[in-house]
Amino acid sequence: MSGVLKDAIRVERPAKTLRELALDKVREAIVNGYFRPGDRLVERDLCAQLGVSRTVVREVLRHLESEGLVANLPNKGPIVALLDIEEAKQIYEIRGALEGMAARLCAERGSPEIVAALDESLTAIRNGYRDSDMAAVLTNTSSFYQTLFTRVDRHVAWGVVNLLTVRINHLRSMTIKTERRGIEGPLQMSKIVDAIRRGDGEGAYRAAMDHVAAASAIAEAVLSAQKPAE
Amino acid sequence: MSGVLKDAIRVERPAKTLRELALDKVREAIVNGYFRPGDRLVERDLCAQLGVSRTVVREVLRHLESEGLVANLPNKGPIVALLDIEEAKQIYEIRGALEGMAARLCAERGSPEIVAALDESLTAIRNGYRDSDMAAVLTNTSSFYQTLFTRVDRHVAWGVVNLLTVRINHLRSMTIKTERRGIEGPLQMSKIVDAIRRGDGEGAYRAAMDHVAAASAIAEAVLSAQKPAE
DNA sequence: AATCGTATTATGGCCTACCAAATACTGTAG
DNA sequence: CTACAGTATTTGGTAGGCCATAATACGATT
């Protein structure tokens, strides 16, 4: 049997442990609102719902806790973390600093491939708004920023941004639906791309900051309009 | 019985679970070098060493994994994460962005209390260098930055910085011992304080960035001098 | 009827024991 | 000396149990 063939037919293992699958499921469930902020996450119930053992559930809860998606009340157990408006603003601020940094680096790199990739995501975002396909808007916004970070090899910063982003995910899906966001959002993002295209690091930095600041302002409005109602 | 008294005599419970104690122990052991990068962390060995069950050990390992201190090799198990020089540089870069941001905010706030607190930490750092007490240098450097972040209520950013910092902790203790660091480090930090004192946001930002950049450069030198030797 | 004390329940924290699968090691037969 | 089979190691995952605590419900007593 040839070594080459052996490699060729090598079966791609799922490679995902049950724990990781469960982790994704629960995170997904929190992010998309199946579990609401404040909901208790009872271990044994989760076992039943996920069809896994308590060991796995507990590891998943620990992991989500360190991600900030789950909070652990002493002597009461884990709940879905509540999103504090102050915290949300700080998260947006951090994203601004990091995305601005990445945008500047992209501009300084001056690679046409980056601009092309960003344009592609941006077009997809515009189409998403046109078709009212908010899921598409979210995933392509994500890939827009992923490009920004990973094309200049800032994987750690991308990881941080991702970590923080899941915590404000419900906010993201709300801000995105805002009336004017469908126009202004892509406009601001295209300013980032333009600055990168002309190699304007400082402009790219500011454009990225502006975009996040706008998102933050909308989020604040949404949150403070919502909180009193509870 | 008076309500005031009731609060006054409220018994302080340890409140720490076994898991948290174990987590701290293991993290500490990794950070201070008892476990070296690349070392395997065999669950059952840890159970024996910590005197706890596998349940606890596994949760601890998961937690450290999500902190980036532990890496999990598929089908082989957890090891202490190896520090890649590229990753270290990125971490320093992120710290620069966030600490710069915090320094700017402190300068804009213009509160004498902040300056006083920073000065106090800085003095302690200088004393630490004078007495060759590197542990003191580290903890006071930490409190310097903690002041920078928490006095302007940036707890999330402080959390991010902390999370990243533990990953480069061995580097920190090495860069700190570098010959000229004992002079230049405090000098750069005093520039941050000076800029804050005169309300110069931009200057504080740049000074904070410079300080981290210098640390990064030293770390790079140390690491690349060390890696080939292995 | 109001209050005080006592089961009961729900739940998390922690433990032991077990099995399956993958990997690493080891000794033996050819 | 090599190939191969068996053995130990170790993780991933499961099952189930014990204990402590907190909350709640339920009486019993005054």
Side-chain angles (χ1 to χ4, degrees), chain A residues 129 179-190 211 214 218:
Chain A
Y129 273 118
E179 201 58 44
R180 303 172 58 199
R181 194 73 180 148
I183 315 293
E184 286 185 7
L187 200 71
Q188 288 162 339
M189 289 169 96
S190 73
H211 181 230
I218 295 178

Side-chain angles (χ1 to χ4, degrees), chain B residues 58-179:
Chain B
R58 290 179 58 149
E59 287 173 25
V60 166
L61 288 174
R62 291 317 147 226
H63 196 113
L64 292 172
E65 194 183 340
S66 74
E67 278 184 17
L69 271 184
V70 164
N72 225 328
L73 308 182
N75 294 325
K76 262 186 104 181
I79 62 171
V80 178
L82 296 162
L83 187 58
D84 172 12
I85 186 169
E86 191 47 47
E87 193 183 338
K89 281 164 67 177
Q90 288 182 42
I91 289 175
Y92 278 111
E93 186 179 52
I94 295 167
R95 281 187 49 191
L98 298 184
E99 287 166 10
M101 176 189 88
R104 171 184 280 134
L105 289 166
C106 284
E108 288 166 357
R109 169 86 45 113
S111 138
E113 287 85 9
I114 297 180
V115 176
L118 292 176
D119 267 331
E120 194 181 326
S121 295
L122 193 45
T123 304
I125 293 170
R126 286 212 174 87
N127 292 342
Y129 272 117
R130 191 197 54 205
D131 308 338
S132 297
D133 181 354
M134 291 313 166
V137 172
L138 276 179
T139 60
N140 285 295
T141 302
S142 195
S143 56
F144 181 91
Y145 283 112
Q146 182 173 19
T147 300
L148 221 53
F149 283 102
T150 58
R151 291 284 177 128
V152 287
D153 298 315
R154 260 50 179 193
H155 297 90
V156 179
W158 173 237
V160 171
V161 168
N162 259 325
L163 198 66
L164 295 176
T165 299
V166 292
R167 279 156 74 172
I168 54 169
N169 204 279
H170 5 20
L171 280 184
R172 284 181 74 216
S173 42
M174 300 187 81
T175 61
I176 268 181
K177 289 186 204 120
T178 300
E179 201 57 43

Side-chain angles (χ1 to χ4, degrees), chain A:
Chain A
M1 194 186 294
S2 119
V4 179
L5 188 65
K6 212 169 165 186
D7 272 4
I9 64 168
R10 181 172 210 89
V11 52
E12 288 291 339
R13 275 182 298 181
K16 284 230 178 187
T17 67
L18 193 54
R19 205 183 60 237
E20 290 171 294
L21 295 174
L23 175 61
D24 290 343
K25 282 265 189 242
V26 178
R27 188 193 289 113
E28 182 62 23
I30 293 176
V31 164
N32 72 24
Y34 177 76
F35 293 125
R36 316 283 285 275
D39 281 2
R40 293 191 61 184
L41 298 170
V42 177
E43 288 181 8
R44 288 168 173 89
D45 292 355
L46 283 178
C47 291
Q49 292 186 55
L50 294 168
V52 298
S53 70
R54 258 184 92 195
T55 310
V56 171
V57 168
R58 290 181 56 117
E59 286 174 344
V60 166
L61 289 175
R62 289 319 147 227
H63 196 116
L64 292 172
E65 194 183 342
S66 72
E67 279 184 18
L69 272 182
V70 164
N72 224 329
L73 308 182
N75 292 327
K76 264 186 106 178
I79 63 170
V80 177
L82 297 161
L83 187 59
D84 168 14
I85 186 169
E86 193 46 48
E87 193 182 340
K89 279 164 69 177
Q90 289 183 40
I91 289 175
Y92 278 110
E93 185 179 52
I94 295 168
R95 281 186 51 191
L98 298 184
E99 286 165 10
M101 176 189 87
R104 172 185 279 134
L105 289 167
C106 284
E108 287 166 357
R109 168 84 46 110
S111 139
E113 286 85 8
I114 298 180
V115 176
L118 292 175
D119 267 332
E120 195 180 324
S121 295
L122 194 46
T123 304
I125 294 169
R126 287 211 174 88
N127 290 342
Y129 273 118
R130 191 197 53 205
D131 307 339
S132 298
D133 180 355
M134 291 313 165
V137 171
L138 275 179
T139 61
N140 285 295
T141 302
S142 193
S143 55
F144 181 90
Y145 283 111
Q146 182 172 21
T147 300
L148 221 52
F149 283 101
T150 59
R151 292 283 177 130
V152 287
D153 298 315
R154 261 48 179 193
H155 297 91
V156 179
W158 174 235
V160 171
V161 168
N162 259 326
L163 197 66
L164 295 175
T165 300
V166 292
R167 277 155 75 171
I168 53 169
N169 204 280
H170 6 20
L171 280 183
R172 284 181 75 214
S173 42
M174 299 186 82
T175 62
I176 265 180
K177 289 188 204 118
T178 301
E179 201 58 44
R180 303 172 58 199
R181 194 73 180 148
I183 315 293
E184 286 185 7
L187 200 71
Q188 288 162 339
M189 289 169 96
S190 73
K191 278 189 185 148
I192 302 175
V193 180
D194 287 342
I196 292 174
R197 184 180 283 115
R198 62 175 191 273
D200 176 8
E202 204 50 36
Y205 176 78
R206 277 203 312 275
M209 292 277 281
D210 287 348
H211 181 230
V212 177
S216 177
I218 295 178
E220 185 172 1
V222 169
L223 253 193
S224 55
Q226 177 189 49
K227 258 287 157 58
E230 283 182 31

Side-chain angles (χ1 to χ4, degrees), chain B residues 13 42-44 58:
Chain B
R13 273 181 300 182
V42 178
E43 287 181 7
R44 284 170 173 88
R58 290 179 58 149

